[in-house]
Amino acid sequence: MIERMRRAGAAAAEVLAIGAAVIAPGVTTDEIDAVVHQAYIDRGGYPSTLNYRGYPKSLCTSVNEVICHGIPDDRQLQDGDIVNLDVTIWLDGVHGDTNATYCVGNVDDASKRLIDVTRQCLDRGIAAVAPGRPFSDIGRAIETHAVANGYEVVRAFVGHGIGEQFHTDLQIPHYYEPRMTTIMEPGMVFTIEPMISMGTGQHKIWDDDWTAVTADGSRTAQFEHTIVVTDTAMEILTTAN
Ligand code: MF3
Ligand code: CO
Ligand code: CO
């Protein structure tokens, strides 16, 4: 199972890099969706999101104030936008889930700082993974860093157990939740995927029933990896190798 998760994770990382290489002013998110769709197929995989609970596309493209689950469409990316690509591949019967936020052309310094701090939040969450520790340590590490930098954590969307199922019952908040007393054990596989807002962490959902945006229109960023707990610490599965 872990060997299959490693392969799916590495493939997801490759597909994310292929999608990211297409990002430029004037490119539509539908065009990125088409490139990413073909990249899953080329690796013998299938897009986990396509028709997942009715979701219509092969990846999520979340621009500026979109927190997550943005649906690719015919809007062209504009100079100064920030865009998150969230790819999930189903390969050999398991899912690999990873995302990252990118700059389109020249982006203002405040947005660049948001992206940097959000990546650091993911790194700090990952550093809190070790057998014997409670899951609440992950969210505590993330929230502490976000708040210290003047940002808010989006609370409505959480990391999740993953494997033969895209989303299992295991939920990993990205804020400090003292009731999250479950202990991490070797072999557990889950995502950490903090969404960090420059303004409020409160959200609204568009009429398409998917697109989540910040309630005040602030920009948000997100980074995600799929992780396995090892005997001593953890291994990141969604890296190319
Ligand atoms: N990849 C997303 C996650 O990190 C889930 C997307 S589900 C979709 O959990 F239906 F919106 F695509
Ligand atoms: Co995920
Ligand atoms: Co994802």
Side-chain angles (χ1 to χ4, degrees):
M1 162 85 163
I2 291 303
E3 196 41 51
R4 285 191 293 149
M5 292 294 301
R6 268 194 200 104
R7 283 199 297 273
E14 287 174 16
V15 172
L16 179 60
I18 288 167
V22 180
I23 292 171
V27 173
T28 70
T29 46
D30 266 342
E31 287 166 347
I32 302 172
D33 183 70
V35 168
V36 163
H37 182 94
Q38 187 59 45
Y40 297 124
I41 303 299
D42 289 345
R43 283 158 184 76
Y46 190 82
S48 305
T49 60
L50 190 56
N51 295 321
Y52 174 77
R53 297 174 188 251
Y55 187 82
K57 298 279 174 154
S58 298
L59 86 157
C60 300
T61 52
S62 300
V63 178
N64 298 338
E65 76 277 19
V66 180
I67 296 166
C68 62
H69 304 165
I71 302 173
D73 62 14
D74 59 5
R75 176 188 179 276
Q76 295 180 348
L77 293 172
Q78 293 176 19
D79 187 59
D81 283 347
I82 61 172
V83 59
N84 178 280
L85 304 186
D86 189 341
V87 312
T88 316
I89 190 169
W90 186 69
L91 183 71
D92 286 344
V94 296
H95 299 271
D97 188 6
T98 184
N99 76 48
T101 303
Y102 302 93
C103 294
V104 182
N106 292 307
V107 168
D108 64 273
D109 288 342
S111 298
K112 284 185 194 156
R113 179 171 166 273
L114 172 71
I115 291 172
D116 287 346
V117 170
T118 304
R119 187 188 289 105
Q120 292 159 12
C121 284
L122 174 58
D123 291 344
R124 292 194 179 213
I126 291 171
V129 175
R133 292 181 69 167
F135 276 99
S136 59
D137 280 5
I138 297 171
R140 177 155 54 185
I142 291 167
E143 185 173 37
T144 299
H145 191 61
V147 169
N149 282 280
Y151 300 139
E152 286 192 13
V153 172
V154 174
R155 300 167 83 94
F157 304 94
V158 296
H160 52 92
I162 186 170
E164 290 178 347
Q165 287 183 69
F166 190 173
H167 297 100
T168 74
D169 288 341
L170 176 63
Q171 299 197 339
I172 296 103
H174 303 113
Y175 53 91
Y176 181 50
E177 172 49 83
R179 289 169 294 185
M180 195 66 213
T181 54
T182 309
I183 300 296
M184 295 181 235
E185 294 171 25
M188 286 181 163
V189 184
F190 53 88
T191 72
I192 304 177
E193 48 183 297
M195 288 142 271
I196 306 297
S197 171
M198 286 173 59
T200 184
Q202 299 290 115
H203 79 290
K204 296 189 288 197
I205 305 283
W206 282 0
D207 286 345
D208 61 17
D209 286 340
W210 281 107
T211 309
V213 296
T214 53
D216 62 1
S218 301
R219 287 187 168 197
T220 74
Q222 182 182 22
F223 287 85
E224 174 176 31
H225 273 307
T226 300
I227 309 289
V228 60
V229 182
T230 63
D231 289 336
T232 53
M234 53 73 208
E235 177 185 336
I236 300 173
L237 296 172
T238 38
T239 50
N241 50 13

